[in-house]
Amino acid sequence: MSILNSKIPEGPLAEKWSRHKAGIKVVSPANKRKLDIIVVGTGLGGASAAASLAELGYNVKAFCYQDSPRRAHSIAAQGGINAAKNYQNDNDSVFRLFYDTIKGGDYRSREANVYRLAEVSPNIIDQCVAQGVPFGREYGGLLANRSFGGVLVSRTFYARGQTGQQLLLGAYQAMNRQIDKGNVEMYSRHEMLDVVIVDGKARGIIARDLVTGEIKRFGAHAVVVATGGYGNVFFLSTNAMGSNGSAAWQCYKKGAFFANPCFVQIHPTCIPVHGDQQSKLTLMSESLRNDGRVWVPKKKEDAEKLRKGEIGPNDIAEDDRDFYLERRYPSYGNLVPRDVASRAAKERCDEGFGVNAEGKAVYLDFKYAIERLGKDVIKARYGNLFQMYEKITDVDPYKEPMMIYPAIHYSMGGSWVDYNLMTTVSGLYSIGEANFSDHGANRLGASALMQGLADGYFVLPYTIGDYLANEIMTPKADTNTPEFEEAEKAVTSRIEKLYNIKGSKPVDYFHKKLGQVMWDYVGMSRNEEGLKKAVQLIREIRDEFWKDVKVPGELDNLNPELEKAGRVADFFDIGELMALDALNRNESCGGHFREESVTEDGEAKRNDKSFTYVSSWEYKGEGQEPVLHKEDLVFENVELTQRSYK
């Protein structure tokens, strides 16, 4: 029997959220002033939550490891944010957004959570417009929309190719207003290293001042984790180099179950790996697939000539180009979901049709859109993205096709949360990419920004009150208790242990080795033998890391290598759990592709009879096997079918 209680409200799907809000407890304005909330992370989820909670009257402490909240990785999002506004009059609706998201996630997410996300999505756009976010507009002044993968309507709002930056500036300004009013205390350059549990409730965190090296204690009545995903376990990803899964992992080790860790997203349009000295990869927005056509040569001899540099892409005749997404998926064409597009690119390259020197790239061509619309229109839509591509590759995409290849991008897995966004630890909440709740086995493009802002602006401010209403008589957290002392001691001991290994190899040496294992065996294609090998190799590399890592610099000072060592130590454990979860889930669904579970035409084949559940893992101690708990997924409003985009 599962011990998980998702707390999904009763009643019709379209009424669950409104009924839930009507039934949960509310904290009065006077009592809100007595209550403290810690928010860890200042991306779209964290910044919007901190601003909203402070506006309501709570006392908020916000933390980020960057030198400014606006440096959060949300700033890197390019293409747009989804919302069911139906501005294009193309028959969009809340239900259609809900259905597209459920189907895009390959039927591995909760109906109730996803419907709520779709339901509040229009409010996000209104909120952001009121903040001054400069969304793209049509000639008449109405907000413009573009299409994204996995849908047949245009519902994505955008600010050229820098939507994440503009949305984050809106949330950042709202939070800054509360900082100025004294309702938010901002702690930049502070990294959460542990969560403190007192009598079964989250009562604070232990954080390291990254400038001085000082270990500090912070108390509160509730803790909100909004620290993003764990994609950097692969070393090379589209994530910022500082992005990590450590905060969520420390929560896991204190009792917060970790859900669906094997569900990570491979983004199909990234600049391909070049050499072995890269430290990260660069995303090219999915919005480019609106006007760019994906192709490889039809003839292997042409692909071979391209790899050798004997010919260029413009030398390939029109009839000799294989627009393979349009050929395989005529209904959706180049706008199939990310997992489908990524696997198709890999398949073409594995068959010998890759077009760069390593044979690991396909073309994204704007020639046809430029001929149809003119260069000025394409420049207005994607100019900054084209400029970024040219700066990195020294190729002008107005004249030659872009080269793209799939790369690790997003984590659908994360802390298990109930309908209120609370983890299995009372008073500990997880929002945005840090939780598992909305995207199932594959996230649709432009839905990450939607979820982060939905959670922070329109969900958590309601649901956290239901818990805090019972805490109004609880005094402010005393950070001099044994629980805080024990947590600080454990953090200090771990840091000193890492620093004092005094080995011979830098942190990146081990991170790269881990990343290669993850990409080879827990990446785009997985099988039982490879996953078992991955678990074995991860354990071996981890043992070597704890014996031979070298952390230079000072212990009690600014030391980026020490920060990195702690994060990579957690990545070993996260990577192992990902492999164990992938091994357990003997089906293909979304971004999780098991070679043993494939349809006749090579598509992902789900096993609904055995795996229609959320995998939630419970930590049992160092060196102990984690315990799996299953939350059964019940579908009352959509029919489970084999996903097809043809």
Side-chain angles (χ1 to χ4, degrees):
M1 280 290 290
S2 171
I3 62 172
L4 298 169
N5 179 7
S6 60
K7 298 181 181 175
I8 295 172
E10 297 293 328
L13 183 66
E15 297 177 16
K16 286 183 186 292
W17 178 228
S18 56
R19 285 189 180 189
H20 187 65
K21 286 189 293 182
I24 58 179
K25 297 172 185 173
V26 177
V27 182
S28 73
N31 284 328
K32 287 188 177 88
R33 293 193 290 271
K34 302 175 184 176
L35 298 169
D36 300 329
I37 300 173
I38 285 173
V39 178
V40 186
T42 57
L44 287 179
S48 60
S52 301
L53 294 169
E55 183 75 40
L56 287 169
Y58 296 109
N59 305 304
V60 177
K61 297 183 182 79
F63 295 81
C64 68
Y65 69 78
Q66 298 93 341
D67 54 5
S68 166
R70 60 175 292 190
R71 296 290 298 276
H73 187 57
S74 298
I75 205 168
Q78 297 168 358
I81 176 170
N82 290 328
K85 285 281 199 181
N86 194 33
Y87 279 178
Q88 301 303 311
N89 199 28
D90 55 2
N91 200 20
D92 196 13
S93 64
V94 168
F95 187 86
R96 189 179 292 277
L97 174 52
F98 154 75
Y99 178 76
D100 287 344
T101 306
I102 287 279
K103 178 183 175 183
D106 220 350
Y107 305 94
R108 291 295 176 263
S109 51
R110 288 187 197 135
E111 281 191 339
N113 287 59
V114 175
Y115 191 89
R116 176 176 64 186
L117 176 65
E119 185 180 348
V120 304
S121 66
N123 299 340
I124 299 170
I125 304 304
D126 297 339
Q127 169 90 354
C128 294
V129 169
Q131 290 172 340
V133 173
F135 285 122
R137 292 180 182 268
E138 295 175 347
Y139 181 76
L142 298 175
L143 295 182
N145 294 109
R146 54 172 53 141
S147 295
F148 258 61
V151 303
L152 295 173
V153 296
S154 296
R155 65 163 68 100
T156 305
F157 296 78
Y158 60 92
R160 212 176 181 190
Q162 47 186 251
T163 313
Q165 179 179 9
Q166 299 303 325
L167 292 171
L168 184 60
L169 287 174
Y172 170 69
Q173 289 167 179
M175 185 173 70
N176 263 3
R177 178 170 175 268
Q178 296 302 320
I179 293 172
D180 184 61
K181 293 177 72 173
N183 297 332
V184 173
E185 289 181 51
M186 186 66 230
Y187 294 89
S188 299
R189 303 295 283 137
H190 281 69
E191 182 171 20
M192 171 187 156
L193 296 180
D194 206 354
V195 61
V196 181
I197 311 297
V198 180
D199 296 330
K201 297 179 178 180
R203 288 294 187 219
I205 65 170
I206 305 297
R208 181 172 182 267
D209 185 326
L210 300 183
V211 177
T212 67
E214 181 184 356
I215 306 299
K216 300 179 181 179
R217 307 174 186 182
F218 298 92
H221 294 90
V223 176
V224 179
V225 174
T227 51
Y230 47 90
N232 273 347
V233 68
F234 289 84
F235 185 70
L236 286 178
S237 81
T238 65
N239 292 184
M241 289 179 64
S243 297
N244 63 86
S246 289
W249 194 250
Q250 299 315 316
C251 295
Y252 166 69
K253 293 172 80 171
K254 283 296 183 73
F257 291 7
F258 208 94
N260 296 338
C262 77
F263 289 166
V264 289
Q265 180 165 84
I266 317 284
H267 198 293
T269 54
C270 302
I271 297 177
V273 176
H274 185 76
D276 59 2
Q277 297 301 312
Q278 272 184 271
S279 55
K280 78 175 298 293
L281 297 174
T282 303
L283 172 74
M284 299 309 296
S285 171
E286 180 167 318
S287 62
L288 294 169
R289 288 197 275 146
N290 272 278
D291 291 305
R293 299 179 71 189
V294 180
W295 64 273
V296 293
K298 287 182 179 177
K299 302 174 184 174
K300 283 190 180 179
E301 52 265 36
D302 284 343
E304 197 169 319
K305 289 177 182 177
L306 287 166
R307 289 196 290 271
K308 291 178 179 177
E310 296 174 0
I311 59 173
N314 293 333
D315 297 321
I316 306 289
E318 177 92 15
D319 291 342
D320 292 331
R321 300 180 177 193
D322 178 17
F323 299 94
Y324 59 89
L325 290 178
E326 298 172 26
R327 170 172 56 82
R328 293 182 183 179
Y329 311 102
S331 292
Y332 287 75
N334 295 295
L335 285 174
V336 291
R338 291 173 175 177
D339 59 320
V340 176
S342 293
R343 281 195 292 272
K346 181 180 186 295
E347 185 274 333
R348 287 291 80 195
C349 291
D350 288 350
E351 289 296 313
F353 295 96
V355 298
N356 68 349
E358 293 81 10
K360 299 290 185 184
V362 300
Y363 287 127
L364 182 63
D365 200 341
F366 293 87
K367 167 191 166 187
Y368 307 95
I370 291 171
E371 290 173 351
R372 177 168 51 91
L373 300 169
K375 181 179 176 181
D376 289 344
V377 172
I378 298 302
K379 190 172 184 179
R381 290 179 181 175
Y382 314 114
N384 63 314
L385 300 174
F386 278 43
Q387 182 186 40
M388 181 168 69
Y389 182 86
E390 185 172 6
K391 279 187 176 182
I392 293 171
T393 65
D394 197 30
V395 172
D396 182 353
Y398 293 105
K399 297 176 181 176
E400 274 192 32
M402 290 181 178
M403 282 190 191
I404 56 166
Y405 194 70
I408 293 292
H409 177 57
Y410 185 89
S411 313
M412 283 78 68
S415 298
W416 184 92
V417 292
D418 62 18
Y419 192 68
N420 291 327
L421 304 182
M422 190 190 289
T423 68
T424 47
V425 175
S426 292
L428 179 60
Y429 291 80
S430 180
I431 64 174
E433 189 181 356
N435 74 30
F436 88 101
S437 67
D438 292 344
H439 305 296
N442 174 64
R443 177 176 66 76
L444 291 183
S447 287
L449 307 187
M450 176 173 62
Q451 187 207 347
L453 293 180
D455 287 355
Y457 282 139
F458 298 111
V459 179
L460 183 72
Y462 290 98
T463 60
I464 200 170
D466 191 46
Y467 170 77
L468 290 175
N470 297 317
E471 300 295 321
I472 56 177
M473 300 304 294
T474 303
K476 289 186 179 294
D478 180 4
T479 58
N480 293 313
T481 61
E483 290 88 353
F484 275 91
E485 188 174 333
E486 184 181 326
E488 181 184 336
K489 188 176 180 181
V491 164
T492 303
S493 174
R494 185 175 191 251
I495 290 173
E496 289 176 349
K497 182 179 179 181
L498 280 167
Y499 182 75
N500 290 322
I501 293 171
K502 304 293 184 187
S504 63
K505 296 182 179 68
V507 176
D508 278 352
Y509 167 83
F510 296 100
H511 196 178
K512 285 181 180 179
K513 285 185 73 172
L514 171 64
Q516 194 62 56
V517 169
M518 294 299 295
W519 182 253
D520 289 346
Y521 302 110
V522 201
M524 292 176 66
S525 187
R526 305 161 176 179
N527 59 57
E528 182 178 359
E529 182 184 354
L531 290 166
K532 287 179 176 177
K533 186 173 182 180
V535 172
Q536 176 191 340
L537 290 172
I538 290 167
R539 290 171 177 172
E540 290 173 3
I541 301 167
R542 178 173 56 203
D543 290 344
E544 185 187 357
F545 170 86
W546 281 102
K547 292 175 184 173
D548 199 28
V549 71
K550 179 179 182 178
V551 179
E554 299 175 27
L555 186 63
D556 300 322
N557 207 331
L558 177 69
N559 191 339
E561 285 299 303
L562 184 58
E563 300 166 28
K564 199 190 300 180
R567 296 166 189 166
V568 172
D570 291 332
F571 278 143
F572 285 115
D573 298 339
I574 294 170
E576 181 181 2
L577 188 64
M578 289 173 66
L580 290 172
D581 188 43
L583 196 56
N584 168 75
R585 190 172 283 277
N586 190 16
E587 66 161 351
S588 292
C589 57
H592 170 63
F593 190 76
R594 283 290 295 264
E595 294 170 9
E596 300 93 335
S597 185
V598 184
T599 64
E600 290 181 3
D601 52 358
E603 300 292 344
K605 183 180 180 181
R606 293 195 324 272
N607 180 347
D608 292 333
K609 185 177 180 181
S610 301
F611 294 100
T612 308
Y613 61 75
V614 176
S615 303
S616 299
W617 296 88
E618 180 185 7
Y619 181 74
K620 290 308 235 182
E622 203 75 38
Q624 303 295 312
E625 289 289 316
V627 172
L628 173 64
H629 301 274
K630 301 176 182 180
E631 179 200 338
D632 292 329
L633 293 170
V634 179
F635 293 92
E636 300 172 339
N637 300 275
V638 298
E639 181 183 352
L640 274 70
T641 59
Q642 190 61 41
R643 202 173 48 149
S644 173
Y645 291 94
K646 295 183 177 182

